[in-house]
Amino acid sequence: MKNINKSALLLFVAAGALAGCGGGGSGSGGSFALPQSADASTASPAATTTASAVEPAADKEAALGKLLDASWVKVANEDQGFNLAAPTVVQYGANSTWTSKQLSGAVACNNATFGDPLPFVAKACYVQPAAAGTLLATEGASFTVAVATLVKYGADTRWVTKEVIGSAACTNTFFGKDPAVMTVKSCISAGPATAAAPVPAPAPAPAPAPAPAPALDPIPKPAPAPLPIAGDVVDSSGAIVASAYESIAYKFGLPEGVAYRFGPAASKTGVGTLPLQADVGAINHGPGNDLYYQLGAENNAAYNYYVSIHGAAIGTPASGSSLSNALGWFQTQATDRVTFMQRPQLLWQDRRLLPSAIDQYYASGVLSPNDPADLPIVEDRGENAADSPSTRLSLIATQGSPTKAATIFTVGTYTAQNRASVKLALGKVPTAISVTGGGEFAFVTVWDTLNRKGQVAVISLGGSCQGCTLNGPKYDWWHDWMDMVHPGFFNQGNYIFMKVLGYVDLPANMTAPTSIKVTTGMHPYAAVVYTGNGGLSGMAKEASPMASNRARLLPGGEYYEKYAKGGVAVVASKSEKTVAFLDLGPLFKYTNEMYLGSAASNLETQNVGLASTQWPYLLADRPQATPTVIKTITLADKPTSVLTTSTYSHWSKDDRRRMAPPNDMYWESNPHYPRAWVATENGKLHMYALGAYVQGPKPAAGAPAEIAEVGVVTGLGSNVTHLAAAKDYPNQTDTLNTMLIFTDRANRKWGWVKFAGDGNSGTILRTMEDSRVDPIMVTMSDNYSTRGNIVSVANYSGQSIDNYRFGDLVYPDTNFCSAAGACPTLASNGEYAGKLALPFKPFAVHASNVP
């Protein structure tokens, strides 16, 4: 028996970890494994192993293993991993000393899982084959059996049987036929596979004959090879296919990648066509600079309630491979001189589609106009309350290549267009972005093509006044900080600083994450401060300089309940049918403590920079700040998009009672439940409670059991590609938390889901469809001053942004459209507001008010 010196092993591992740490500049700062919650539903071994794949043990160890009953089969040696399709008793130990647990899913064969029944001796894990009658999977799902097992596939009395070992798919393809046509089938264990009987030796001839040769055990049948899935990165067993993974990763912005992410183009016929609200006039902003309005009439004598909403979109270039032909900014709607413009148009302030900030990125070498590696593949802009930090700018990520790192950069609105950028580590491909509501952090899902694993990049953000730098000067811009930039703390979202703090490893069954959404539960308007003269200011301005005002931000201080203390990130992998929930509490706790804990720690935060020795520090050097996995959930269907409530948090009843009237009564009668929503490709919407991890104004301890599915809405469509915030809706309140917008690409449709007061159920309130569009993403413009009720559609095949009005126009004065019902849509179900033609096929679009 081989003894292991575990002290020496720990020293060796620690030395390796230190040797692997990196830092400095705008790089990754190193990569490290994500700490797992003790109650996480997935363990953290590497690959699944089976009995046939385990290397033969020494003769002595094999003999000792036989001290168990002969029905027990070894599935893993110590520190290996294996999978169980159903709850199964596992024996762990060696010689005659064993401990057992009933486990399912991914299992780590180690002391952390079972305890150490026999210190300093190499151990192993043993199971008994699945008992006959055990349900292994329903049709379409996958399962794993650790030892050779007979598996029945079918329904009622119609079955086929196959010997299986390892991972398999419960499908017609895997079992070779459909034994029960038009019937939902399942896979059931028929017990352990029985070894074939030895072939008897022939009868001896009359003459003396040699003794019969001993019968040989039959050669085990090899497990059937998993089948590749066209257009996917996994095979029929659900395992990652390395070649497909690496190929798709660098085609996310090309047609192959778009098809992988968003399915086939809309092809449904017989869809209705909504009537167009045509142009009725134009407002001139100079020679050749007309913007067309569709409602109202220009009135220069009346007070001008001017408001414009600016958007950004990215997509696949119609020709070539230049970033210049894959990105645009534009006006989605505007109120100007008693007119309403609802057709998307170029900005009158900058009569070009490509944002002017790109010129500076090109000039500084941050981006290249002719490098396919700089094609944009991900765009996100917060969909929180209008004029709040996360809604100011879009964060856009480029494709990257095996030899060029991906870049994340900002594109804003015309009056909030500071530039900031950062590069990910080489080989890490960004697939989705989400920004916290207070502009503190961006979280980016990545495919690590070099190490073949999924991760979340943590990026610290720092905002400042328009045109300002780290070194000043400073002026009052939307009541932001007046002293300096405070990365990772509440700011007004006009970013000038970005730094990758590190990469958080996702569980082993999330190698290919495709969507992410985060929530801190804090309403950004909580940072509004009412001054003594009745005016409005903000926490950041009033608490500047922070070093002198820490007491106002600490418990008992007037601003303590105005900034985030924790949150949750929800991550989904489409191919792997997996959703993970990450606790952001450690990150916020450490960051807040550095700013507010002491004068000395606050002084450290004033040395802001990209070096590893400058603030904010890398997670590799401050592991206590690392977000952790709370729970991982496997779905039967492919998750395509995730969304969370924006401002709901874990408030106690006492907290609600302390709020000022009338809000205290609203909260008493409408308790708020933070939720996550996960859409699947086939039209289901899963609802999850997030519990105390969404902490709100003061920390509260969360427990993994609080992350739980609470309901499902069905019937959204047959290719749901996106979930978006419902920023407003006629006759509904608090829509950011009680409604959402979904996009059903297959049926050229989008719609609104309304949730019940307890957040545990919902209904489809309304849908719209139009024959003109191939919708990948539908998002809503801000209803700011004017209630325009406009959605913008990323019309991929149509190569345009198409706008639709879904409700009455309500103008902010009495000159026209001053009340609901005065300016309804042309048809009862809405109207077409026009389109903006693009040099690219858009797959992402967002818009927000210009501050």
Side-chain angles (χ1 to χ4, degrees), residues 36 140 177 188 200 452 571 586 599-600 652 726 748 786 805 828:
Q36 298 280 330
K177 64 179 294 186
I188 296 176
R452 205 169 301 134
V571 181
S652 70
R748 308 181 190 273
T786 298
R805 184 155 64 94
S828 61

Side-chain angles (χ1 to χ4, degrees), residues 315-319 325 353 772-774 793-802 835-843:
T316 305
S319 62
N325 293 324
L353 184 65
R772 299 176 178 92
V773 293
D774 171 24
V793 177
N795 182 3
Y796 187 79
S797 298
Q799 203 173 308
S800 59
I801 297 298
D802 295 62
K835 71 177 183 179
L836 174 66
L838 303 171
F840 56 89
K841 297 180 177 181
F843 48 74

Side-chain angles (χ1 to χ4, degrees), residues 421-779:
S421 64
V422 72
K423 289 189 180 296
L424 300 180
L426 189 66
K428 297 185 188 295
V429 179
T431 61
I433 302 174
S434 186
V435 179
T436 52
E440 301 94 346
F441 297 98
F443 296 88
V444 183
T445 51
V446 299
W447 292 13
D448 184 341
T449 61
L450 299 181
N451 300 295
R452 205 169 301 134
K453 60 183 178 181
Q455 296 178 310
V456 174
V458 181
I459 301 177
S460 185
L461 304 174
S464 190
C465 42
Q466 176 62 36
C468 296
T469 67
L470 285 178
N471 300 319
K474 299 284 285 186
Y475 63 90
D476 185 1
W477 191 87
W478 286 90
H479 317 307
D480 209 347
W481 294 99
M482 298 292 291
D483 52 344
M484 60 180 299
V485 175
H486 299 289
F489 205 82
F490 177 91
N491 65 86
Q492 286 294 345
N494 200 1
Y495 309 123
I496 63 171
F497 179 85
M498 302 170 69
K499 182 176 182 178
V500 178
L501 303 186
Y503 299 90
V504 177
D505 285 350
L506 291 169
N509 58 344
M510 290 200 78
T511 305
T514 45
S515 53
I516 185 171
K517 189 61 67 173
V518 298
T519 180
T520 65
M522 286 300 298
H523 199 302
Y525 292 172
V528 172
V529 172
Y530 294 89
T531 60
N533 59 5
L536 292 179
S537 185
M539 172 193 68
K541 179 188 175 185
E542 298 302 315
S544 296
M546 181 188 282
S548 303
N549 287 278
R550 290 186 303 109
R552 303 173 76 181
L553 296 158
L554 289 170
E558 60 195 296
Y559 300 147
Y560 177 65
E561 296 191 355
K562 292 183 176 295
Y563 59 91
K565 312 296 187 300
V568 169
V570 185
V571 181
S573 169
K574 180 179 180 181
S575 292
E576 293 158 302
K577 302 180 182 178
T578 306
V579 181
F581 300 83
L582 276 66
D583 180 12
L584 308 183
L587 180 64
F588 278 94
K589 182 176 185 293
Y590 171 75
T591 303
N592 293 346
E593 287 176 349
M594 284 297 296
Y595 279 118
L596 306 174
S598 69
S601 63
N602 181 273
L603 184 62
E604 289 187 55
T605 68
Q606 297 175 37
N607 180 25
V608 175
L610 296 176
S612 62
T613 55
Q614 291 181 289
W615 178 257
Y617 301 131
L618 303 180
L619 297 181
D621 299 326
R622 301 293 189 276
Q624 68 269 34
T626 306
T628 58
V629 168
I630 306 166
K631 180 174 285 189
T632 304
I633 294 172
T634 300
L635 300 177
D637 309 304
K638 291 183 175 182
T640 52
S641 186
V642 298
L643 191 67
T644 62
T645 48
S646 294
T647 63
Y648 282 2
S649 63
H650 183 77
W651 285 70
S652 70
K653 193 170 185 180
D654 288 340
D655 288 324
R656 292 196 293 272
R657 282 178 173 164
R658 290 189 298 102
M659 298 183 72
N663 293 324
D664 60 338
M665 296 305 298
Y666 174 78
W667 280 67
E668 282 293 328
S669 60
N670 296 275
H672 288 184
Y673 301 95
R675 293 288 184 259
W677 303 300
V678 179
T680 58
E681 191 174 49
N682 62 349
K684 294 180 182 178
L685 184 68
H686 298 262
M687 296 171 278
Y688 294 93
L690 298 180
Y693 292 100
V694 186
Q695 296 172 339
K698 63 181 184 180
E706 295 176 11
I707 306 289
E709 184 167 339
V710 294
V712 180
V713 179
T714 60
L716 274 65
S718 49
N719 181 18
V720 177
T721 54
H722 189 67
L723 298 178
K727 298 179 180 180
D728 198 1
Y729 194 88
N731 303 315
Q732 299 291 332
T733 59
D734 200 16
T735 56
L736 284 172
N737 299 299
T738 63
M739 294 182 68
L740 60 75
I741 301 172
F742 64 88
T743 304
D744 172 17
R745 185 182 188 187
N747 295 298
R748 308 181 190 273
K749 182 182 72 175
W750 57 96
W752 288 258
V753 173
K754 170 68 177 178
F755 298 102
D758 62 3
N760 296 341
S761 62
T763 57
I764 298 175
L765 187 65
R766 179 235 187 124
T767 62
M768 293 178 69
E769 60 181 33
D770 192 73
S771 63
R772 299 176 178 92
V773 293
D774 171 24
I776 284 183
M777 182 181 293
V778 177
T779 57

Side-chain angles (χ1 to χ4, degrees), residues 86-87 129-137 149-152 159 186-192:
T134 301
L135 175 67
L136 301 175
T149 303
L150 293 177
V151 179
K152 295 173 25 178
W159 302 89
S186 60
C187 290
I188 296 176
S189 168

Side-chain angles (χ1 to χ4, degrees), residues 99-160:
T99 184
S100 64
K101 277 189 175 183
Q102 187 176 60
L103 301 168
S104 63
V107 178
C109 185
N110 56 27
N111 295 336
T113 302
F114 296 90
D116 192 347
L118 196 59
F120 308 113
V121 175
K123 293 167 280 292
C125 289
Y126 287 73
V127 302
Q128 292 176 311
T134 301
L135 175 67
L136 301 175
T138 55
E139 184 177 5
S142 59
F143 62 93
T144 302
V145 287
V147 296
T149 303
L150 293 177
V151 179
K152 295 173 25 178
Y153 173 67
D156 46 65
T157 60
R158 298 167 291 173
W159 302 89
V160 292

